[in-house]
Amino acid sequence: MTEHAVTTPDLKARHRAMWALGDYPSVATDLIAALGPTLVGACGLRAGDRVLDVAAGSGNASIPAARAGAAVVASDLTPELLESGRARAEALGLSLDWREADAEALPFGEDVFDAVISCVGVMFAPHHQTSADELVRVVRPGGTIGLLSWTPEGFIGQMFSTMKPYAPPPPAGAQPPPLWGREDHVRALLGDRVAEVEARREPLTVDRFGTAEEFRDFFKARYGPTIAVYRAIADDPARVRALDDELAELARRHDLGDGRMEWEYLLLTARKRG
């Protein structure tokens, strides 16, 4: 099947399957756990708020929002991630509504939520304008939209650039996820439907890996997009070795000298106009 022949159901099935690969919940808890509370704090979520987390994964932001007392719907395309999040929330004594849902066709009415958030989630939906339109549609006038996304120039954005030559061509119309890490891109997506836009770039400090190779092997084993790229080149050992080397070199370039790395993200909040 050519990229132009990929239908929307096929594309959604591929995305769902990709994020079920490996162990994304361990990525969320071991590496980026701080991002969810950061987003919740920036949005000022509080008890009684009706909150929708789009592309919630295993609840990186949903669970901190529930801890703040919000009534949270955690939605994601991949049921395996929702099951992991549900189990973690139950262990913490938290009650959330976990819903399988496509970020590009949310099964909710207009003006329903006080806040709509996404923590390195909606950025991976392929059609950016469609996703942005859905975020705006379901939040009430005066409500908050809060987005945290990896930047193109930051470590994860550069990791995707490194993997791109080894990956199959993207489907027609699909846009690169790290574009959501550009303030001008997100402002254009939301347009004049929002006001009080605030955006800042911040670093996430990661000190989980002792060596560059440890980072690479962690992502090869646990991160769906990386696993999918390696599967695509599995029959070409030379390309596998080349990607191994490039990912390790990327990690070495970002090592601050003491085993720490900083992964840059864009944190953007806005209010829907009334």
Side-chain angles (χ1 to χ4, degrees):
M1 181 178 289
T2 67
E3 71 176 78
H4 295 292
V6 174
T7 64
T8 297
D10 289 334
L11 179 57
K12 298 302 178 183
R14 286 169 53 188
H15 273 251
R16 184 181 293 112
M18 179 183 71
W19 288 104
L21 295 172
D23 185 6
Y24 183 76
S26 72
V27 176
T29 57
D30 293 358
L31 302 182
I32 63 170
L35 297 184
T38 295
L39 179 59
V40 168
C43 293
L45 302 184
R46 58 188 185 276
D49 283 345
R50 299 162 299 168
V51 176
L52 173 65
D53 187 0
V54 177
S58 53
N60 183 262
S62 302
I63 289 174
R67 276 178 164 158
V72 181
V73 178
S75 67
D76 198 273
L77 191 64
T78 303
E80 292 87 345
L81 298 183
L82 295 174
E83 286 302 316
S84 176
R86 181 183 289 111
R88 181 164 170 252
E90 289 177 355
L92 293 169
L94 298 171
S95 178
L96 294 80
D97 182 5
W98 300 88
R99 297 280 298 274
E100 185 175 343
D102 180 357
E104 297 181 355
L106 295 171
F108 308 106
E110 296 184 8
D111 305 336
V112 172
F113 296 96
D114 298 307
V116 176
I117 63 175
S118 189
C119 183
V120 295
V122 73
M123 65 180 291
F124 292 101
H127 306 105
H128 295 187
Q129 190 63 64
T130 303
S131 299
D133 291 346
E134 286 293 272
L135 298 176
V136 175
R137 181 181 67 81
V138 300
V139 71
R140 65 168 175 79
T144 299
I145 296 172
L147 305 169
L148 192 153
S149 309
W150 302 120
T151 66
E153 301 83 5
F155 180 78
I156 297 297
Q158 290 302 301
M159 185 182 76
F160 275 93
S161 293
T162 300
M163 295 191 299
K164 183 178 179 180
Y166 299 90
Q175 294 175 278
L179 283 178
W180 281 88
R182 283 178 39 188
E183 180 181 347
D184 60 344
H185 182 69
V186 182
R187 282 181 176 271
L189 293 174
L190 300 176
D192 61 5
R193 299 172 294 180
V194 301
E196 300 178 40
V197 178
E198 297 184 11
R200 66 179 188 269
R201 291 184 176 218
E202 297 285 352
L204 170 71
T205 299
V206 176
D207 59 3
R208 167 68 168 71
F209 306 110
T211 66
E213 290 75 18
E214 187 181 348
F215 150 76
R216 178 198 64 208
D217 294 342
F218 182 97
F219 271 69
K220 282 179 68 172
R222 304 197 194 191
Y223 191 59
T226 306
I227 296 169
V229 171
Y230 272 98
R231 287 189 175 185
I233 61 173
D235 294 334
D236 190 337
R239 297 195 79 202
V240 170
R241 288 193 298 272
L243 181 54
D244 276 348
D245 291 343
E246 289 193 40
L247 287 176
E249 178 57 29
L250 175 71
R252 276 190 287 273
R253 289 200 307 271
H254 284 79
D255 190 332
L256 298 176
D258 54 4
R260 291 182 301 117
M261 292 188 283
E262 289 187 344
W263 298 0
E264 186 184 62
Y265 60 85
L266 176 74
L267 177 61
L268 183 145
T269 60
R271 292 199 179 275
K272 181 176 176 178
R273 292 187 187 274

